[in-house]
Amino acid sequence: MSTGVSYNDQGGAEAAVEAGQESTPTSSSTGAAFGLFSADFKKMSSVLRNEDLKEMLESNKESLKLEAMKRIVGLIAKGKSASELFPAVVKNVASKNIELKKLVYVYLVRYAEKQQDLALLSISTFQRALKDPNQFIRASALRVLSSIRVPIIVPIMMLAIKEAAADLSPYVRKTSAHAIQKLYSLDPDQKEQLIEVIEKLLKDKSTLVAGSVVMAFEEVCPDRIDLIHKNYRKLCNLLVDVEEWGQVVIISMLTRYARTQFTSPWTEGAEFDENKAFYDSDSEEKKDQTEAKPYIMDPDHRLLLRNTKPLLQSRNTAVVMAVAQLYWHLAPKHEVSIVTKSLVRLLRSHREVQYIVLQNIATMSIQRKGMFEPFIKSFYVRSTDATHIKTLKLEILTNLANEANISTILREFQTYVKSQDKAFAAATIQAIGRCATNISEVTDTCLNGLVLLLSNRDETVVAESIVVIKKLLQTQPTQHGDIIKHMAKLFDNVTVPMARASILWLMGEYCEKVPKIAPDVLRKMAKTFTAEEDIVKLQTVNLAAKLYLTNSKQTKLLTQYILNLGKYDQNYDIRDRTRFIRQLIVPNEKSGALSKYARRILLAPKPAPGLESAFKDRDRYQLGTLSHSLNLKATGYQELPDWPAVAPDQSVRNVEIVEPLRESAPIVGKTKQPKSDKFYSDDEDEKEEEGSDSSGSGSEDSSSSSEESGSESEEESSEDSEKTSSDSGKSSSGSEKSSSESESDQKKKKKTKKAPQKKSKPAGDSDSDENGNGPVGQASSSSSESSSDSESDSESDSPAPKKKTEEKAKPKVAVNSKKEVSLLDLDDFSPAPTNAPKPSVLSQSLLSDLEGLSLSNISSTVQVTTSSFGPLKTYELLHHMTGKGLSAKYHFPRQPCLYQPSMVAVQVILTNSSDHALEEIHIGDQSPASLNIHCFNTIERLEPGASVTVSMGIDFSDSTQAANFQLCTKEDQFSVSIQPAVGELLMASTMTEQDFCKEQGKLQGMNEASATITMATANASRQAINKQVLSVANVGEVPSSQNNFSRFAGQTVSSRALVLVSLELSESSGALLTINTEKSVMASMLLQDLKQALAQA
Amino acid sequence: MIHSLFLINASGDIFLEKHWKSVVSRSVCDYFFEAQERATEPENVPPVIPTPHHYLISVLRHHIYFVAVIQSEVPPLFVIEFLHRVVDTFQDYFGVCTEAAIKDNVVVVYELLEEMLDNGFPLATESNILKELIKPPTILRTMVNTITGSTNVGEQLPTGQLSVVPWRRTGVKYTNNEAYFDVVEEIDAIIDKSGSTITAEIQGVIDACVKLTGMPDLTLSFMNPRLLDDVSFHPCVRFKRWEAERILSFIPPDGNFRLLSYHVSSQNLVAIPVYVKHNITFREGSSQGRFDLTLGPKQTMGKAVESVLVSSQLPRGVLNANLNPSQGTYTFDPVTKLLTWDVGKINPQKLPSLKGTMSLQAGASKPDENPTINIQFKIQQMAISGLKVNRLDMYGEKYKPFKGIKYMTKAGKFQICPYNTPFTGFSLTVLTNQIHVFR
């Protein structure tokens, strides 16, 4: 023991020195001082080595322990057993040193199965860690706990999984999804309980969790397709943001799902319909009209296709392949070809990737030549390709061959035949044979070419040519006596059995065409019969029999001789065949009846063999799967179901209104969440994205989603309207929710340095302790939900004043919520306004008050909203004289723009005052080009006297620069321009007086513009002031406690800069007008406008 | 999904094994060795091998086979892509991915593999996250660790795993903020003997080295984005923005990464920067063959063609080659029959040439094929497709970064094939003549 201790002391320091440089016990780069020890070390037997390691592990020096663990891991890596050390290692499971702990975990997971009892010692450590405030520690504890394959702890694991599935951290929830699979493989009896957990996790909105839980779903209960229904749309929408490995799993699951839930898009009617739509500029709308056709693609089906398409650009080849197979199995025929380019791109990747992709292309190219034909050159073989790649490329080239390109392909083949890779050359000859049978134009050319190859010096080439020629000749034997003769001459030189057998068969089959040569060949064969391969022997017997029947005079004796040889052959097949042939052809008393038909049996015309692709039958497997690659059913392969004849109920995918409060506060994927609410997003969402990047990307989606679904509902047919209205209700509640979440996030950010357990509080709680306003905020969120519910209906109605208030109020909330989300948004770097959550909470509370319509202190607020909506100024866009009968007027509805939040909504009223109908009214060229205009859809026809109101969105970028564009009809174009008043570039916002003053304080100096104005006497009253101000600018009034102060707040539409207007009345008719905003140009312009407005009666 | 991983070196030793589920005996690799034996070349081992109870999916990189054992249906590309990602990670960590490097860093390798997969399903494959979890070994760190006894394992846990930008580390700081972009294009071409192009295409990548503090948001725009036909992005690139405006907008990962790879649309004619005149002849009955090869520049926009390397697999019958290069050096390996000629830079005034004779095996018949010639070259400061970066802007951070962009063109699979006879069909008359001779 004393030696051990002294060694420890000495070795400890040394080992520490060594720790960094050396991690395996065998590597020899050690310092001089250590050399002695390491030499000794190697000599020791493994028992002694283990003793050493044990001592090191039991020492109290961290570095020594770590060194020991590193050596043990080295042993494990080499596949050597280190299980005896288990007790010593397990003691360190609770170590403080992270690396040591990790290595112990590695060890535990590896050996726990073998040492179950001892492994239990470590469980309590993990159980404790599962409660750790740090999410990473919780996650890693669950990971290790579930990786220990000890059946006894199944209940503990189950409990841990259930708890983790409800964890606040999405990372822990992800880990729990992984643990589900582990537990299931350990104890399949837990299935039912696990399915419950999966069901719960499937509802999770975090992109982190999605991939893992779908993986668990696939492993545990792939048949429970019903669990997917409610999550289908969410998964589709989340897909782009899920990590790449998860994408693969989700896509393949959704492929299966879609095959069970939608009807086939491959019917004739569908084809026609889609094609027609293709030629229409605005296909979406057009389709709705022409949807009398039998096939209508389910919008959910379309959603899946649309959301997977961008993933074709993924750098992950597995993702690209997954999307490709999804399109192959699900998309209408004419859409499949969009995957071609991406698949061809994968061919530039690693060899193994090429292999798999080429296999899949080979299968696809059989059914759909056209898809890959333009890329035929990508499949040209290079001399550096591996053989299996070459063969696959050859396969594809052959599949793609047609009359038009056959000459180029054959020229390529000609080079390949000369390749030094003989196996490949042989495969090329096969390919030429296939081309010859498939394309009758070139059959002769190919046959001639192949015959030329018979004089090739290489035997494999010759042999392969013979085999192929044999097959070709069968298709047209008449004129090719010459070739058969030629082959007979080659016979002596050919040694490859298959080729010899082929020649013999040809001789026999067409013995009447070569009556002189055939018996001679048989004679030669009789001499060498015993030395031949089995397959050659069989064909010799065959030839003998056929010759006996046609030319018995010359060959009778030869045949008998061969049959006698065959009778005593070692191979039973040959003996059997000989016996059979003898009975068949040599008439004797026993077999009288049959021998009469011998000729008809043996010399019956035989159908030519079709030369088919080896990939012909692979399409029974789903593309991209292991089974497809191996062409055999792999364990766990799930058949791709066939389309149902009638689609199951599609309403199962509708999602009801989501509970206002989520049980677990998600932080991650914040920007993505709103997307999940977007159901029927159409082309517009792409345009939306354009502008949104400039002012905070994902966040806008939250607002636009509700609007979008609203706008969609107009387009939808009436039967859908019920559903969509509920959808829009849901989505608006989504944006609402995100606002409340963002608050809690906000707070978290501030408080991260404080007690960490605060973090894990649910969103609602943190709301309420922010400013005691929480419960109100929550209530109001639900109330605004209901208001938004009604909104989509009320939009088209003539607005009653009360509805107006709701309608007006609702967008305001949306504005606020948007702003706050963008604060959190990592993609967003535009300087975010600094007034954070409070106003939104307040506005919510105001709203809830509004809902109750208690008349106590809100009269002013009501005025704000109504008056801001008040008298609309209408401007002339196009006079009917200049417009040749078409007149256009526009006004600013002062509503948030539907298309992009950074746009100003403009409504244009088009009137036809001519005597003939105007057709195709649309917007043409725009200038300046930078101006972002969302055009209205083309108006097909406007009858004389009729007028139509359309809405546009223009992003003025907070400048009063005019938007010039052309208004076009079928015949004419008119240049028009919209010049916004500065006040229209604002959006009203609500805030408290307190906040107002605070913000105003921040916007001093440069950002302040003020002027003393003289008020018209008519404007003395407060209401009059409000009216005047609101007519000029779209701002919201701020409730004021002082009588002589009027305050208004707004923000610019594009950059969301705050604009604060305050008006201080002095005793006389004078007043001090102050405007505070970052946009100083706007400030001065607004000042002018207001001054003018207030000065006049 | 992935059950186990075995690393096998060129001589067929399993030098590392790792199991994510219960242990699979290494005897499963026998099936792999069988397949390896059957294959003539190391590359010819099929990537997917079925065995009675498992399936082996392997990739070969740096003369090491990475063999993954799987038990049930999984997309093979999923596994292959992951294995390549593993190799890339090793390369990233150790500089090289060789057996020696892996053996030397076996603990780091193990820690990495542990983090990359959980129960066989990929967990963290982003290099930035992994580097936060496990610090790559550097000489300096090794020294420091030795002295202070600290470890390779990151002290902080990566928050990147949780963020919406999982590819970027948090809290990045640099004193010199710089962003470099390399536009590298490769020409793949097959050119026939007469110099006409059979196929030619250009692939390009933009590799970036971004060392910027904080969370910069970059946009990169091109003068001629229309050239890019088919693109694939690093996950950081905002796809919608590209679709709409053809602008690359992204929050870059920290350090080196591949931003974009693209294919230049096939409508554009590909400029071929070099031409080759070659004449390799063998005469019947003679034991000598003549070899004559000249290189010259073509369509290079005035840029020099550098690092030219010509290689060719001569026919088996060639015993030795006695050649005379006008510049550079040549080697001929009598065993593999591989001729390589390291040319260097092409001087347009004095074209490099390689002339001489080849001696053939006595009595052997004339080799019936002409060798294919592979060429490698580099051209600096030029993207052969003409792609040009317009500007790079940074948002979200206050400082001014140093920006740099470099263009380069390389030969990819650039082959000169020895034939130029268009396929007109073999004539039957030749054949009948032959038959008459036979008679």
Side-chain angles (χ1 to χ4, degrees), chain A residues 953-1021:
Chain A
I954 303 175
D955 187 352
F956 288 105
S957 320
D958 292 347
S959 77
T960 48
Q961 173 190 28
N964 302 309
F965 54 92
Q966 288 188 314
L967 199 59
C968 310
T969 63
K970 201 175 181 185
E971 291 91 18
D972 297 294
Q973 298 182 341
F974 313 105
S975 295
V976 293
S977 78
I978 292 182
Q979 169 102 44
V982 66
E984 302 297 346
L985 300 175
L986 303 179
M987 293 175 83
S989 55
T990 20
M991 51 169 62
T992 58
E993 193 175 0
Q994 241 173 321
D995 283 323
F996 186 94
C997 296
K998 207 169 88 194
E999 291 303 327
Q1000 199 174 25
K1002 288 179 192 159
L1003 295 165
Q1004 295 290 340
M1006 286 274 288
N1007 298 327
E1008 189 175 79
S1010 60
T1012 320
I1013 54 168
T1014 331
M1015 304 262 284
T1017 41
N1019 291 339
S1021 80

Side-chain angles (χ1 to χ4, degrees), chain A residues 111 469 783 954:
Chain A
Y111 287 114
I469 288 173
S783 73
I954 303 175

Side-chain angles (χ1 to χ4, degrees), chain A residues 464-477:
Chain A
E464 201 66 38
S465 308
I466 290 171
V467 176
V468 174
I469 288 173
K470 178 208 130 195
K471 289 180 183 164
L472 282 183
L473 283 185
Q474 269 183 278
T475 58
Q476 40 185 172

Side-chain angles (χ1 to χ4, degrees), chain A residues 17 23 77-78 99 135-136 143 182 244 313 315 317 348 351-352 383 449 451 625-627 635 668, chain B residues 17 26 43 60 73 81 85 104 111 114 118 126 146 151 158 162 198 203 231 415 419 426 431:
Chain A
V17 171
S23 37
K78 270 189 279 171
E99 185 168 25
Q135 49 177 335
F136 288 101
R143 240 183 100 184
K182 299 183 208 169
E244 42 196 359
Q313 249 67 49
R315 66 169 170 172
T317 56
R348 285 172 235 133
R351 187 176 53 88
E352 296 84 7
S383 58
V451 172
T625 58
L626 184 63
S627 304
T635 12
V668 180
Chain B
E17 60 178 71
R26 55 164 70 188
E43 291 86 36
L60 173 68
E73 175 65 53
E81 177 77 25
R85 214 54 84 73
D104 285 348
E111 285 167 346
E114 188 71 28
D118 181 16
E126 280 296 336
T146 338
T151 62
L162 303 174
I198 295 177
Q203 278 109 44
V231 284
Q415 278 184 4
Y419 308 100
F426 316 90
L431 168 77

Side-chain angles (χ1 to χ4, degrees), chain B residues 21 26 79 95 122 144 149 152 170 183 200 210 225 271 284 327 336 359 369 392 397 416:
Chain B
K21 301 185 184 180
R26 55 164 70 188
V79 182
V144 171
N152 281 333
T170 43
V183 180
V210 176
E284 196 71 64
Q327 72 179 73
T336 59
S359 52
E369 69 267 286
L392 176 74
E397 296 286 336
I416 315 288

Side-chain angles (χ1 to χ4, degrees), chain B residues 45 60 110 118 135 155-156 177 179 183 192 201 226 248 262 304 307 313 345 401 404 409:
Chain B
V45 180
L60 173 68
Y110 237 69
D118 181 16
K135 302 256 162 53
E155 293 294 325
Q156 285 171 325
N177 289 297
V183 180
D192 78 358
E201 42 186 36
R226 270 168 209 286
L248 293 176
Y262 60 89
S307 318
Q313 185 83 42
K345 197 168 167 177
T409 301

